[in-house]
Amino acid sequence: MADGQPLLRFFCTKTTKETLELHVQRRYLLFLLKIIAFVDNWINLWKRSGLGIERVAADWKEYLGPPLSPERLKMYTTAIDPSPLRGFEDISDERVEFDHLRNRVKIFIDSVSKKIEPAHTDIQPVIVFYFDEAHHLSKTMVSAEPHRTAYQCLCKAFTYMMNAPVFALFLSTYSRLSETVSSSRNFWSSRPMSSHSEGSDDNMNAPFVELPFDAWKEPSLVIEGTHSAQEICSLKFMARFGRPLFWTVMESTPSIDQEEVVQYAMSKLELRLEDTSRDIFCKFPLQKLIPPLSVRVDLSFELNRDEAVFLEGLLVASSMRTVYSVPKHQQYFRGGYPSEPFVAEAAARAIFTWCHAKGLGRTGSTLPPAEQIEMIIATYKTNIPSAISQWLELGLIDQGTREELVVRMLCTLAHDIAILKNPDHEHVNAVLSGVSGDVSFSQMIRVEDFLRALISEKYIGDVLDARPSNLRGEMLRDAFKDGYVHFTQFVKAGDKSTITDEAIYLLFLRAAAIQGYGNMASTDFVIPVWIPTNNSQYPDRWSMSAIFIQVKNRVNKQFIPIDAQETFQFFTRPQMQNGRKLPYITIVMELGNLAAEQKKAPQPEVKQASTVGRTKRKGQQAQRKKNPVQVSMPANPTAQRQTRETTKQAKMPVATSPVCDTVQRIPPPTPADVQVISRELPQTTRSQALHIHPRYEIAIKGCSSLVYNVIGDEDKSHYSNILAHKDMLAEHPRSEDRVEAVRRMKPYWVAPSSYHWAKMNKESRLGAEVVIADNNNNDDDEYYENTNEEAEEDLVVVNGYSDTEDAGAGDTDAEDVS
């Protein structure tokens, strides 16, 4: 405020036809010089007090006081007064040249700064101007010749101080870069540009994004082994990580309810648009879910789509998304949601609040709590993948990471549904019973509960009964009966150091799972698992294990076995003869199985000749499909009979229905089954076995309710849309015959469209026209293979090793399957 009006009004006076850019610049320059003159008068009074020079900045801040204080109002009122400043009476005169005025400005500012310059040092004091919510300055044109915004004219006013000890800082969460900072080729002033040919020709500073992070009241946020499981899940503990905003609110107001701080964080995860004239750009489907899901599943946005760039900027401005870097060319920025468990907890609650209202509606709240939970869970399963599928259709989300995005979504759904299904979760029951309260999604979840939420009920029993694949050991359910997962967010791994028990422990404290970044070998995701040792409730690195996940969406993608010990040297605990070796789980998610339906054009039918070897191989494949369940040979006859009954039941057909996607036609899914593959145990000595950590291997094929419990029966189409590989013509606006005409222009080569211009002297796999000719070389037929691949069934594979003596005659088929 200044002279009874907002200071912004002084800078954003509407332009008139007579308003020149130079006049606005000099008006702003006079404002800045009067501020410095006001400071100069205060310095003269302050020096008489005899206080040490090192306190000048703190004393000046104390003198000004909080916003709207009398001293601040006095300073601003003096600064906007149009009366001339002594020594600058001609500041508005157009005839005063820039260089001459700049030298006078420098002399004046130097005279002020020298009064507070420390003696016997080379340190030169700097006068800092900062403008909060500076994006408002870029919204108003204040000059007509040429058209300039208030921000542009203010920046030009500072060019008169370029050689003076002055630093200008513009603060804003608004990230519309084109309105505040331009690339060098489009910059609106030649003043900041280098006048010499050496080095860079651009002296402009890109926006500063380096802000305090993980800055707590103590130097160390955590000390290994001193934080209990209960403390780790508390709001006060989570608030110390990330931006200082939330823990400072709790510390400065001890009487405040911590739930109020969470509600405050939830309010900051909403899309808000200050400029209502641009409201047309803020109409996205299910847009209330965009900020919280961006936090939970780490959404990346397209850089070459105006709507996506605008949306990401809006998330930065109103929904706590962080800008990591703005390149020097300033044409875009890199952003995301960093590791902040408090923000992730707020995002999880925001999603629950939305699903609670959407799922129960007006009448659902009268149902018993168990039925309410099922309705809310159904809303999770349907609307979250539907939202992401729609955002992908609109080109908002980066399509290069679809498979990883689906895995993050599946694991997040499993996590939250496990929380909601926990009968001991008093917060859930309190909310559903109408009692005031909030659901906490940062509670630790038993590994078995997480897997039950993730994998379909029909096959979870086989998974929990799996045994280690690298040595004899107990079943998975027993090995992990005391194990817990704890994650509400995914963070990117930059190198292999992150895939170690030390790093896993620290990320467990932050409720974070890991996703690979770059060329991470063999694994794409790592979910920390805490297995308490000696009944200790204080996690440390030596009690940490993990679930390693590898993602495949193409049949021909190479499978790399996950060996946490060999690949990552994950475990560091010294192995002793009687020491406990922590187990770990590996999961291969073959999501797509879309090889057959990923064709970009109709494929020619080519007759497949048969050979003896090929017939034998096809026979083996047919036999394999007749026996879809392969189990390790049990050691006792009773178990053997149970195994045969399980196999017989698994062969029974499952009703299916075809699902179509907007780009490719997905074939009807075939029955999903569990395979327990029997192989010989690797030969190891007793000493070698002491150093082996039990590895439980699971492979899941497909992406439907047949294999995943977090996918609804009617929701596979959403996942098919997300996983579909769309080519460059997927959005072509005209009919298929027009698309075929474009294919003939050869944007890419595909049969038969790309080969219509040639004739072959014999039938070929390219679909080209065949010349009528006498061909006696019929033996060549056997080399023509059918290029249409057959879609594979959804499948869960559990690798369980058995003793060689128990395997018997079943080894042949089992080894063939493996």
Side-chain angles (χ1 to χ4, degrees):
M1 296 290 292
D3 198 19
Q5 63 179 350
L7 191 59
L8 182 64
R9 188 176 300 176
F10 167 79
F11 288 101
C12 296
T13 302
K14 294 293 184 179
T15 181
T16 64
K17 293 182 179 180
E18 295 77 21
T19 305
L20 299 178
E21 178 189 14
L22 181 64
H23 292 164
V24 179
Q25 291 178 32
R26 299 286 176 88
R27 180 166 169 261
Y28 290 171
L29 176 61
L30 181 61
F31 172 88
L32 299 174
L33 293 174
K34 284 192 173 184
I35 291 288
I36 296 175
F38 187 88
V39 174
D40 185 33
N41 292 332
W42 176 83
I43 290 175
N44 292 332
L45 295 174
W46 174 83
K47 292 187 70 173
R48 297 173 190 170
S49 65
L51 297 175
I53 199 70
E54 66 277 358
R55 284 190 47 84
V56 61
D59 289 343
W60 167 249
K61 179 182 178 182
E62 183 179 349
Y63 169 78
L64 283 182
L68 303 180
S69 67
E71 288 72 17
R72 286 181 183 268
L73 295 177
K74 180 181 178 182
M75 179 179 66
Y76 293 141
T77 301
T78 302
I80 67 173
D81 186 354
S83 60
L85 179 66
R86 182 179 178 182
F88 294 93
E89 292 82 358
D90 57 350
I91 194 171
S92 300
D93 191 342
E94 299 177 17
R95 295 170 296 179
V96 179
E97 295 183 356
F98 172 83
D99 291 337
H100 177 67
L101 184 56
R102 181 183 61 181
N103 291 335
R104 289 162 54 190
V105 168
K106 184 179 186 307
I107 293 172
F108 171 67
I109 295 177
D110 286 343
S111 67
V112 176
S113 64
K114 286 181 179 179
K115 294 180 181 180
I116 54 175
E117 185 175 321
H120 310 296
T121 67
D122 295 331
I123 299 176
Q124 185 180 23
V126 176
I127 299 173
V128 178
F129 287 91
Y130 70 92
F131 299 84
D132 201 5
E133 302 296 331
H135 55 273
H136 292 291
L137 298 174
S138 65
K139 297 179 179 179
T140 306
M141 290 292 175
V142 294
S143 70
E145 291 295 335
H147 290 290
R148 298 294 188 217
T149 65
Y151 173 78
Q152 292 171 327
C153 290
L154 185 56
C155 287
K156 287 195 171 186
F158 274 109
T159 61
Y160 291 91
M161 302 180 180
M162 285 182 64
N163 297 325
V166 171
F167 185 83
L169 187 62
F170 294 89
L171 306 177
S172 176
T173 58
Y174 189 71
S175 58
R176 195 73 174 177
L177 292 177
S178 60
E179 297 179 2
T180 53
V181 288
S182 303
S183 59
S184 57
R185 65 172 178 265
N186 297 324
F187 198 60
W188 23 263
S189 175
S190 61
R191 297 290 180 190
M193 300 303 170
S194 235
S195 58
H196 56 81
S197 58
E198 297 181 2
S200 173
D201 62 349
D202 187 355
N203 287 339
M204 292 187 303
N205 287 315
F208 286 91
V209 298
E210 301 86 353
L211 301 174
F213 198 81
D214 282 350
W216 193 44
K217 61 182 180 180
E218 300 292 341
S220 298
L221 277 67
V222 297
I223 300 176
E224 184 176 12
T226 63
H227 307 285
S228 67
Q230 183 177 3
E231 180 190 7
I232 292 170
C233 299
S234 67
L235 293 174
K236 190 173 183 180
F237 181 83
M238 292 187 289
R240 69 179 64 176
F241 300 102
R243 68 196 77 198
L245 173 62
F246 302 109
W247 74 261
T248 53
V249 171
M250 293 182 181
E251 293 285 340
S252 61
T253 315
S255 60
I256 193 171
D257 186 355
Q258 294 180 4
E259 297 295 336
E260 293 182 26
V261 185
V262 179
Q263 292 294 326
Y264 171 60
M266 292 172 61
S267 70
K268 295 180 72 67
L269 288 172
E270 299 175 0
L271 285 179
R272 293 183 298 274
L273 193 64
E274 294 183 3
D275 186 0
T276 55
S277 65
R278 307 193 63 174
D279 205 29
I280 189 173
F281 294 101
C282 194
K283 299 297 183 183
F284 306 107
L286 301 175
Q287 68 181 40
K288 287 188 176 181
L289 290 176
I290 294 177
L293 279 179
S294 297
V295 177
R296 298 295 307 284
V297 300
D298 191 25
L299 296 181
S300 299
F301 296 92
E302 288 283 3
L303 295 177
N304 58 354
R305 193 101 173 197
D306 288 344
E307 293 85 353
V309 174
F310 174 77
L311 174 59
E312 186 169 17
L314 198 59
L315 290 172
V316 172
S318 64
S319 304
M320 294 195 291
R321 191 172 179 87
T322 299
V323 176
Y324 296 134
S325 177
V326 179
K328 193 169 181 62
H329 55 65
Q330 301 175 16
Q331 297 178 27
Y332 55 79
F333 63 84
R334 302 286 187 182
Y337 284 97
S339 171
E340 295 184 278
F342 195 88
V343 175
E345 169 66 22
R349 296 191 187 189
I351 296 171
F352 171 77
T353 301
W354 188 91
C355 291
H356 181 275
K358 176 78 172 178
L360 300 184
R362 297 180 178 179
T363 59
S365 57
T366 60
L367 298 173
E371 294 184 28
Q372 292 186 46
I373 290 176
E374 292 303 320
M375 294 175 67
I376 294 173
I377 290 175
T379 306
Y380 269 83
K381 292 181 179 180
T382 298
N383 287 274
I384 289 180
S386 173
I388 292 179
S389 175
Q390 293 181 63
W391 301 336
L392 273 168
E393 275 300 313
L394 293 174
L396 301 176
I397 301 176
D398 180 15
Q399 298 189 28
T401 57
R402 290 181 298 271
E403 298 85 359
E404 290 79 4
L405 174 57
V406 167
V407 173
R408 294 196 298 271
M409 185 165 52
L410 293 174
C411 292
T412 300
L413 285 171
H415 174 279
D416 290 7
I417 290 173
I419 290 282
L420 296 176
K421 282 194 170 183
N422 184 358
D424 299 327
H425 200 310
E426 66 278 5
H427 298 289
V428 177
N429 296 327
V431 171
L432 298 181
S433 301
V435 182
S436 60
D438 296 281
V439 180
S440 173
F441 286 90
S442 296
Q443 302 301 311
M444 295 185 185
I445 304 171
R446 295 173 61 243
V447 171
E448 180 175 336
D449 293 339
F450 173 71
L451 292 177
R452 286 185 179 276
L454 178 66
I455 300 173
S456 64
E457 294 181 3
K458 184 175 182 180
Y459 306 115
I460 185 61
D462 298 88
V463 171
L464 295 177
D465 289 342
R467 295 184 182 274
S469 63
N470 55 348
L471 76 168
R472 296 185 182 89
E474 57 189 346
M475 290 188 294
L476 186 149
R477 68 171 77 240
D478 297 322
F480 288 90
K481 67 179 184 297
D482 297 322
Y484 294 89
V485 297
H486 175 52
F487 69 98
T488 53
Q489 195 176 12
F490 290 88
V491 300
K492 293 183 177 69
D495 57 27
K496 289 176 63 174
S497 69
T498 316
I499 319 297
T500 59
D501 54 4
E502 299 103 319
I504 285 291
Y505 162 70
L506 295 177
L507 289 171
F508 183 82
L509 298 181
R510 303 180 75 117
I514 299 171
Q515 57 178 318
Y517 187 73
N519 297 321
M520 299 297 293
S522 76
T523 188
D524 297 291
F525 295 92
V526 183
I527 298 177
V529 174
W530 172 49
I531 304 177
T533 55
N534 301 323
N535 296 322
S536 174
Q537 290 302 303
Y538 291 82
D540 55 24
R541 81 180 83 170
W542 296 287
S543 58
M544 299 305 301
S545 181
I547 300 173
F548 298 84
I549 301 176
Q550 184 180 135
V551 184
K552 294 177 65 181
N553 193 28
R554 297 178 181 86
V555 174
N556 60 355
K557 181 178 178 181
Q558 183 182 7
F559 166 71
I560 304 174
I562 305 173
D563 191 325
Q565 291 181 262
E566 291 293 329
T567 305
F568 302 108
Q569 291 78 50
F570 180 85
F571 297 100
T572 58
R573 186 185 183 99
Q575 299 300 323
M576 304 198 233
Q577 186 169 1
N578 296 322
R580 183 184 182 190
K581 296 171 288 295
L582 295 177
Y584 65 98
I585 299 172
T586 69
I587 303 177
V588 177
M589 293 184 174
E590 227 175 282
L591 295 173
N593 290 327
L594 301 176
E597 59 272 19
Q598 292 302 327
K599 304 302 180 183
K600 305 300 188 296
Q603 298 300 305
E605 292 186 4
V606 180
K607 295 180 180 179
Q608 178 176 338
S610 61
T611 62
V612 176
R614 198 171 290 117
T615 302
K616 180 179 179 180
R617 185 169 63 251
K618 292 175 70 71
Q620 292 173 347
Q621 293 173 353
Q623 180 66 25
R624 196 174 303 164
K625 289 188 176 182
K626 289 181 181 179
N627 298 280
V629 178
Q630 300 290 330
V631 297
S632 56
M633 298 300 291
N636 60 79
T638 303
Q640 198 165 9
R641 285 194 299 272
Q642 293 174 350
T643 298
R644 283 196 293 267
E645 291 299 320
T646 303
T647 303
K648 185 182 301 182
Q649 294 174 7
K651 293 179 182 179
M652 298 178 65
V654 179
T656 61
S657 58
V659 180
C660 295
D661 123 322
T662 57
V663 181
Q664 295 96 6
R665 183 170 296 278
I666 309 299
T670 52
D673 297 284
V674 178
Q675 290 186 348
V676 182
I677 301 175
S678 173
R679 290 180 286 190
E680 293 184 10
L681 273 172
Q683 297 297 322
T684 57
T685 65
R686 180 180 295 272
S687 60
Q688 289 174 331
L690 291 174
H691 294 274
I692 297 177
H693 290 258
R695 180 175 67 246
Y696 295 81
E697 297 179 357
I698 304 168
I700 306 175
K701 289 186 178 182
C703 189
S704 69
S705 59
L706 297 174
V707 288
Y708 289 109
N709 202 23
V710 293
I711 299 180
D713 294 336
E714 306 298 327
D715 300 326
K716 182 178 179 178
S717 60
H718 301 315
Y719 291 90
S720 298
N721 291 339
I722 296 173
L723 292 170
H725 286 264
K726 300 179 182 180
D727 65 19
M728 60 187 297
L729 302 181
E731 297 178 311
H732 195 71
R734 281 173 283 281
S735 59
E736 176 60 29
D737 60 332
R738 302 295 184 180
V739 175
E740 176 65 19
V742 177
R743 290 195 189 103
R744 291 190 172 211
M745 297 166 63
K746 318 289 188 297
Y748 47 75
W749 288 73
V750 61
S753 305
S754 301
Y755 306 99
H756 64 93
W757 47 276
K759 290 185 178 181
M760 308 294 283
N761 60 11
K762 192 173 181 63
E763 185 178 21
S764 74
R765 289 165 291 181
L766 303 179
E769 187 176 350
V770 179
V771 178
I772 299 177
D774 183 16
N775 294 293
N776 297 320
N777 188 13
N778 296 326
D779 293 338
D780 292 340
D781 289 343
E782 67 183 67
Y783 296 104
Y784 293 115
E785 298 285 350
N786 191 344
T787 57
N788 293 314
E789 300 179 36
E790 183 179 2
E792 298 183 16
E793 65 270 16
D794 289 357
L795 197 64
V796 177
V797 182
V798 183
N799 286 342
Y801 284 91
S802 67
D803 199 348
T804 307
E805 295 178 358
D806 296 332
D811 285 349
T812 303
D813 290 339
E815 290 175 358
D816 187 57
V817 172
S818 64

